[in-house]
Amino acid sequence: MIPLSWYDVLLELNAAPGRSLRMQDLGERVVLSRSRVSRLVDDLERQGLVERRPDPADGRATLASLSAAGRPPSAGPAPSTSAASRSTSPRT
C-alpha cells in the first residue's frame, strides 16, 4: 500500500493533460508546500512512478510527469447502461 500523499500526487498527475503538471501547480492541487511536493516527487521518482523534466513552455519551471509505471492499470470499458440495468432489474 502507498502513502495517501503519494496517491494524491499520482491521481492529480493522471488526471492532468499529458499526465504532467508544473511543480507549483501540483502543489496547489494537492495543497502542499513547495518543499513538501518536491520531497514527495523525489520519493516517487526513486520508485519509478514519476519523472521530472523541464517545462518546454518555460525553461525556469519543472514538470512532474507520470511515468508508465505510475499509471493505473486500464479497467477496460465501462458497462453500458442497458446491460447494467438488465443485471439489476428484478426478474418476473
Side-chain angles (χ1 to χ4, degrees), residues 20-22 51-65:
S20 294
L21 287 170
R22 291 176 61 173
E51 301 164 342
R52 286 183 204 234
R53 55 188 176 90
D55 183 349
D58 181 355
R60 299 169 295 169
T62 300
L63 295 173
S65 300

Side-chain angles (χ1 to χ4, degrees), residues 4 15 44 54 64 71 73 80 92:
L4 182 59
L44 291 166
R71 293 184 188 147
S80 68
T92 54

Side-chain angles (χ1 to χ4, degrees), residues 21-30 32 34 37 61-62:
L21 287 170
R22 291 176 61 173
M23 294 291 286
Q24 178 179 348
D25 297 334
L26 179 58
E28 289 172 4
R29 289 186 183 202
V30 296
L32 293 172
R34 185 181 307 173
V37 168
T62 300

Side-chain angles (χ1 to χ4, degrees), residues 1-85:
M1 184 135 78
I2 65 171
L4 182 59
S5 56
W6 285 22
Y7 180 77
D8 287 343
V9 168
L10 294 173
L11 187 67
E12 289 298 334
L13 289 175
N14 192 56
R19 292 189 172 116
S20 294
L21 287 170
R22 291 176 61 173
M23 294 291 286
Q24 178 179 348
D25 297 334
L26 179 58
E28 289 172 4
R29 289 186 183 202
V30 296
V31 193
L32 293 172
S33 70
R34 185 181 307 173
S35 61
R36 181 66 184 133
V37 168
S38 184
R39 287 191 302 266
L40 279 173
V41 171
D42 286 343
D43 293 342
L44 291 166
E45 263 189 310
R46 279 191 287 277
Q47 296 299 315
L49 303 174
V50 171
E51 301 164 342
R52 286 183 204 234
R53 55 188 176 90
D55 183 349
D58 181 355
R60 299 169 295 169
T62 300
L63 295 173
S65 300
L66 198 60
S67 70
R71 293 184 188 147
S74 175
S80 68
T81 305
S82 59
S85 63

